[in-house]
Amino acid sequence: MPTYFEKKQLVTPGELLAEGDYLPGENTYVEENKIYAQRIGLVDADNKRINMVALRAFYVPKVGDTVIGTITEVGFNGWTVDIKSPYNAMLRASDVLSRPFKPQNDELSTVLNTGDLIVAKIVSYDRAHDPQLTVGEPGLGKITRGQILNVMPTKIPRVIGRNGSMISMIKQETNCQIILGLNGMVLVTGKTVEDEERAINVIKKIEQESHISGLTDRITQLLKENKVNVEEP
């Protein structure tokens, strides 16, 4: 039951990873009792399961996900939203307006227009229908301030950290509110531009170095160093 990789080794699509009594994990596939890489990424084993962290991967929508999207089209009864996925998402006018929607009277572009950014949640999706969004919950809706950062969707879990530990530390040390879209778009809102830039730099470092051991210690040190630099007269 051999494996053909070292821990956290970089592999390419179609590369043989293991054969025999192993189970395929994320971003792998099986042919004739052999497990192969499906994407470019870092491979590892969890007991008998072979997993890969893809270095480049698009976002696949899931019901319940919080996402950040861009309005790309104003339609007759709602908006088309780019959520950095192969599938465009739809936001119904009835979900946004606090009163009954009347197509003959309501000009939707005055509510949300092309280019506007929103924080939304996916409420329905299947392969036969485009994802449907809602902004009808607290914390969702049009973005009016802050900075947007694009991160590979596969790296968002590392920014969150175990039980939310990493993102909580970043928020506390930078005094910023941070909304992580699981589609890889991140909203950083601070009291000052300098605070926002500190948070953005830390998130970029996590994205770049998430595959290297000791990440938490490096991020903790970076936050401490930046805090000293900002506070010095």
Side-chain angles (χ1 to χ4, degrees):
M1 298 184 297
T3 59
Y4 302 98
F5 62 88
E6 296 179 0
K7 185 177 181 180
K8 299 294 181 68
Q9 179 180 331
L10 180 66
V11 296
T12 57
E15 192 166 336
L16 177 62
L17 304 179
E19 59 181 310
D21 190 22
Y22 288 94
L23 299 173
E26 292 186 2
N27 300 308
T28 66
Y29 65 94
V30 177
E31 283 186 2
E32 298 180 352
N33 210 31
K34 296 180 180 180
I35 298 177
Y36 297 87
Q38 195 170 42
R39 301 182 185 279
I40 297 176
L42 303 173
V43 65
D44 203 353
D46 182 10
N47 292 324
K48 290 292 185 179
R49 185 173 297 277
I50 308 298
N51 293 310
M52 264 191 56
V53 176
L55 295 186
R56 297 286 178 184
F58 56 75
Y59 168 68
V60 178
K62 293 180 181 178
V63 173
D65 281 0
T66 296
V67 296
I68 296 174
T70 306
I71 303 294
T72 57
E73 184 178 350
V74 181
F76 180 70
N77 59 359
W79 298 267
T80 302
V81 186
D82 177 8
I83 57 170
K84 302 295 182 181
S85 168
Y87 317 97
N88 284 322
M90 303 302 298
L91 176 63
R92 294 189 178 96
S94 57
D95 185 86
V96 178
L97 301 176
S98 57
R99 51 182 169 72
F101 171 56
K102 298 179 180 180
Q104 65 273 23
N105 297 329
D106 292 315
E107 180 56 55
L108 295 185
S109 61
T110 63
V111 180
L112 290 170
N113 206 354
T114 303
D116 285 346
L117 292 165
I118 61 170
V119 180
K121 181 174 285 188
I122 296 176
V123 291
S124 67
Y125 167 69
D126 59 54
R127 296 289 181 177
H129 303 89
D130 286 332
Q132 296 291 323
L133 303 177
T134 181
V135 293
E137 298 180 11
L140 306 181
K142 183 178 178 180
I143 296 172
T144 58
R145 59 186 297 262
Q147 297 191 53
I148 292 291
L149 171 67
N150 287 300
V151 176
M152 282 186 289
T154 54
K155 301 301 180 72
I156 291 294
R158 295 306 305 270
V159 179
I160 295 172
R162 184 174 296 176
N163 298 320
S165 58
M166 184 73 81
I167 190 62
S168 295
M169 179 173 64
I170 299 171
K171 289 178 179 179
Q172 180 177 343
E173 295 296 328
T174 63
N175 297 314
C176 288
Q177 294 295 319
I178 302 172
I179 297 176
L180 298 173
L182 293 180
N183 59 332
M185 296 183 72
V186 180
L187 173 63
V188 180
T189 309
K191 294 181 179 179
T192 67
V193 174
E194 289 76 17
D195 285 344
E196 293 174 353
E197 291 297 334
R198 288 179 63 217
I200 287 171
N201 289 336
V202 170
I203 294 171
K204 286 181 177 178
K205 187 175 183 68
I206 294 172
E207 179 184 28
Q208 294 165 358
E209 301 184 11
S210 63
H211 60 290
I212 304 174
S213 61
L215 177 66
T216 300
D217 291 340
R218 292 197 304 278
I219 295 303
T220 301
Q221 185 62 32
L222 177 62
L223 286 167
K224 288 181 178 178
E225 292 172 355
N226 284 349
K227 192 170 185 178
V228 170
N229 291 337
V230 169
E231 292 180 351
E232 284 181 348

